[in-house]
Amino acid sequence: MLGIGLALALMTLVLMPLQLLAIRLRWPLARRLPFVWHSVAARLIGLRLHLKGQPVTERPLLLVANHQSWADIVALGAVMPLSFIAKSEVAGWPIFGLLAKLQRTTFVEREARGRTGQQADAIGERLNAGDAMVLFAEGTTSDGNRVLPFKTALFGAAQASLRRSQAEAVWVQPVCVAYTKVNGMPMGHYGRPLAAWPGDVELMPHLLAFLREGAVDAEIRFGEPIRFDAASDRKAVARRCESVVAALMARSLRGDDDRAG
């Protein structure tokens, strides 16, 4: 585990100056470097990814995913260049806050209802700039065995993107991350907290327990994209995304091999 930590630290120290410069100068490289970091990190920590379906190539693109753990960030970040929407407290976390900033994360105060419109506008600007943004719509982490109800407020980012651009539509794509095996053996209902981090467990012990296992399989299923235009209702789209992600989760936990739809 010490070797993994040192390798991650070295990679971060090497890439960080270039990423900071790329962010400051708004180089396209600022999108690519975090993808490289996560791709290497996934291999180092033993996170084995299995994709079902594909992310759409059209932009603007808002990916709507379930959320179980810090490992979701690595799993999704290793699939494609993207950025995350995270709660504001993450910005102040040791190490993880720095990594989130280098990822060009957009931080939001989920409980600040009076700022929802402003925060949605900020996400909308990122969407219009061509960034694929990931919204963890549950607003918290789950135990990995189910999908929690989706919160609808930040789906307004799709509306904000339309208001601020000439685009006719924003693509909203449901995505499910499910942890299915450890060292080749099915996790099962009671084993899944190895990967899931509901938040009532301290982060570092959870991280160390994950690394000790050596190999964890994560299945990422992409649902059919939803076209969000001026006539779309954000609450209806949120409910549809929740239903699709829950169905994709059920497929992964059952071990279905069919492509996501």
Side-chain angles (χ1 to χ4, degrees), residues 126-142:
R126 292 288 302 278
L127 291 170
N128 288 338
D131 292 314
M133 301 296 294
V134 177
L135 172 63
F136 292 122
E138 293 158 304
T140 186
T141 52
S142 73

Side-chain angles (χ1 to χ4, degrees), residues 1-14 37 44 211:
M1 288 188 292
L2 179 60
I4 295 173
L6 289 174
L8 289 172
L10 179 60
M11 178 173 61
T12 303
L13 290 173
V14 169
W37 190 96
L44 286 174
L211 294 178

Side-chain angles (χ1 to χ4, degrees), residues 66 68 142-148 177-179 187-193 196 246 249-250 253:
N66 61 315
Q68 301 151 84
S142 73
D143 64 3
N145 291 303
R146 61 195 176 110
V147 173
L148 302 177
V177 181
Y179 299 94
M187 279 186 174
H189 185 91
Y190 296 104
R192 206 152 280 118
M249 170 71 85
L253 299 188

Side-chain angles (χ1 to χ4, degrees), residues 206-226:
H206 183 272
L207 175 60
L208 293 174
F210 185 100
L211 294 178
R212 275 195 297 268
E213 292 300 333
V216 174
D217 287 55
E219 192 165 277
I220 301 174
R221 288 182 179 257
F222 289 89
E224 289 295 325
I226 301 166

Side-chain angles (χ1 to χ4, degrees), residues 14-197:
V14 169
L15 294 180
M16 183 166 61
L18 183 56
Q19 178 66 358
L20 290 172
L21 183 62
I23 292 173
R24 182 173 182 179
L25 298 180
R26 299 184 179 182
W27 292 344
L29 185 63
R31 293 186 184 127
R32 189 73 183 175
L33 282 180
F35 169 64
V36 172
W37 190 96
H38 286 297
S39 297
V40 175
R43 291 179 178 272
L44 286 174
I45 68 174
L47 188 58
R48 303 191 298 199
L49 306 180
H50 307 273
L51 268 59
K52 305 287 185 178
Q54 294 291 331
V56 297
T57 57
E58 289 89 350
R59 298 292 184 272
L61 174 62
L62 179 65
L63 296 167
V64 179
N66 61 315
H67 192 25
Q68 301 151 84
S69 169
W70 54 268
D72 302 341
I73 307 294
V74 180
L76 291 170
V79 173
M80 60 185 285
L82 44 74
S83 291
F84 295 90
I85 302 163
K87 59 185 181 181
S88 57
E89 302 96 284
V90 173
W93 289 1
I95 302 176
F96 290 93
L98 172 63
L99 293 175
K101 292 171 185 175
L102 292 172
Q103 177 82 35
R104 300 167 62 241
T105 296
T106 295
F107 299 102
V108 297
E109 298 177 52
R110 288 186 177 270
E111 304 305 318
R113 295 182 180 273
R115 297 190 57 202
T116 299
Q118 178 184 350
Q119 294 177 152
D121 285 347
I123 299 166
E125 289 178 5
R126 292 288 302 278
L127 291 170
N128 288 338
D131 292 314
M133 301 296 294
V134 177
L135 172 63
F136 292 122
E138 293 158 304
T140 186
T141 52
S142 73
D143 64 3
N145 291 303
R146 61 195 176 110
V147 173
L148 302 177
F150 281 10
K151 299 182 184 300
T152 65
L154 291 181
F155 279 81
Q159 295 172 320
S161 178
L162 289 175
R163 287 197 305 268
R164 292 170 173 266
S165 74
Q166 300 301 315
E168 295 183 357
V170 174
W171 293 99
V172 178
Q173 187 168 23
V175 184
C176 174
V177 181
Y179 299 94
T180 57
K181 296 179 181 179
V182 57
N183 293 316
M185 299 296 293
M187 279 186 174
H189 185 91
Y190 296 104
R192 206 152 280 118
L194 168 69
W197 180 55

